[in-house]
Amino acid sequence: MENLINIALAPANFILTMLAALMVFYWLLIIFTGLDFDFANADVDADSGAIDAGEIESPGFWNSFLSFFYIGELPVMFIITIVVFCMWLINVNITAILGIENNLFGFLLYIPGLIVSMLITKVVAKPFVKLYAQFNHKGEVAIDFIGKTGKVLSPIGSDKIGQLEIQVNGDIIKVYAKSIDNEPVAFNETVIILEESPDKKYFLAQKFPQ
């Protein structure tokens, strides 16, 4: 165990070890608080790229890349977590076997380690797509959000997807939304949902007059 700790904290692996620890801290915070914090913006921006690409004729490389790794179908932090832990396992084991955890050659593993980790993530994440889709919409399918008001958790705009918090029958439900007009809506402001996007991935909302 002591040897593993020494290798994990060696110069070539220190960055990945800190990233892995950060991922653990993030998920523990989510589990025990139920909050998305501002890491949700990463999910939102990634979803935004995937959604907007559907509005043009050619999806382009970036959107194809996001789609390939299920960004938009799974939370981006979930994907990042798998990649980070795969890289950590690969680098720690290979640097230990080759004895390069304390020199420059250990850092050279980052690029091939990242590529291999992303391919592993593609395989590992696939079974979670349907599972997450069912879990994410559990209890929400029959709810009609049109006309309901909610608080903005992350800013929204005409070209920026944000997250709303809506109270329905005593339950707090979070949904994604864009501004239906050109007016941006800031954090904690109240909006009213007017429409649902054609692909049903987000809603179109407007600032609710106070």
Side-chain angles (χ1 to χ4, degrees):
M1 177 60 72
E2 183 179 350
N3 190 40
L4 173 61
I5 294 174
N6 291 334
I7 294 172
L9 296 178
N13 298 318
F14 182 78
I15 295 175
L16 289 175
T17 299
M18 291 300 100
L19 285 175
L22 183 62
M23 293 298 101
V24 172
F25 176 74
Y26 170 79
W27 288 110
L28 287 175
L29 215 54
I30 295 299
I31 291 170
F32 288 108
T33 66
L35 300 175
D36 285 343
F37 299 98
D38 245 359
F39 280 90
N41 286 337
D43 294 10
V44 169
D45 291 338
D47 286 348
S48 178
I51 293 167
D52 289 343
E55 298 172 359
I56 58 178
E57 293 182 2
S58 176
F61 171 79
W62 179 243
N63 187 63
S64 298
F65 176 82
L66 295 177
S67 178
F68 182 78
F69 290 103
Y70 311 115
I71 303 298
E73 297 178 85
L74 291 171
V76 71
M77 287 301 295
F78 179 77
I79 301 298
I80 291 174
T81 300
I82 298 177
V83 172
V84 168
F85 274 100
C86 285
M87 281 190 69
W88 184 83
L89 288 171
I90 290 171
N91 279 47
V92 165
N93 282 280
I94 293 181
T95 54
I97 292 171
L98 299 180
I100 57 175
E101 66 272 15
N102 291 308
N103 58 52
L104 180 62
F105 292 104
F107 289 97
L108 296 179
L109 286 175
Y110 275 56
I111 295 177
L114 176 60
I115 294 172
V116 173
S117 297
M118 292 175 76
L119 294 177
I120 294 174
T121 299
K122 169 70 174 177
V123 176
V124 172
K126 186 175 182 179
F128 290 93
V129 174
K130 289 185 179 180
L131 179 65
Y132 180 76
Q134 293 175 355
F135 175 79
N136 193 42
H137 297 291
K138 185 178 181 181
E140 299 179 20
V141 177
I143 298 175
D144 182 10
F145 289 99
I146 307 302
K148 295 191 180 301
T149 59
K151 292 285 186 180
V152 176
L153 294 182
S154 56
I156 67 174
S158 59
D159 59 350
K160 178 179 176 58
I161 292 182
Q163 196 174 48
L164 310 180
E165 182 180 78
I166 301 171
Q167 188 169 19
V168 180
N169 298 325
D171 295 324
I172 300 297
I173 299 174
K174 296 174 183 177
V175 298
Y176 291 134
K178 275 185 178 182
S179 175
I180 198 170
D181 48 32
N182 293 323
E183 185 177 0
V185 187
F187 168 76
N188 207 38
E189 290 194 291
T190 303
V191 296
I192 181 169
I193 296 177
L194 300 178
E195 296 178 19
E196 186 174 14
S197 68
D199 56 13
K200 300 185 181 298
K201 289 187 176 181
Y202 61 92
F203 294 93
L204 298 173
Q206 186 177 56
K207 186 183 295 186
F208 189 72
Q210 299 295 322

